[in-house]
Amino acid sequence: MRVKMDGDKEWNQYLLDKSVSEHLISIGATLIISGKISDEQIATWGDTRNA
């Protein structure tokens, strides 16, 4: 997915996350777990962000 901001607007990850969360709740999705995945756990999976 690529996101392009209109004009000179700055990217705000928090607002995107909040918007997605609110949408999912509005369609009846259920939150199973919340939190941050530790860097150590991510390291065990390998870094595929640029794959």
Side-chain angles (χ1 to χ4, degrees):
M1 176 172 79
R2 294 183 190 265
V3 176
K4 182 178 179 186
M5 301 302 294
D6 288 334
D8 60 354
K9 294 180 183 176
E10 290 188 31
W11 175 255
N12 187 318
Q13 185 67 45
Y14 171 78
L15 291 178
L16 175 70
D17 293 346
K18 184 174 184 273
S19 175
V20 169
S21 293
E22 288 174 354
H23 174 70
L24 292 172
I25 290 168
S26 77
I27 62 171
T30 301
L31 179 64
I32 297 172
I33 190 170
S34 69
K36 182 179 182 293
I37 300 171
S38 71
D39 293 334
E40 292 79 19
Q41 182 62 51
I42 293 171
T44 66
W45 299 330
D47 185 356
T48 59
R49 289 175 291 181
N50 297 320

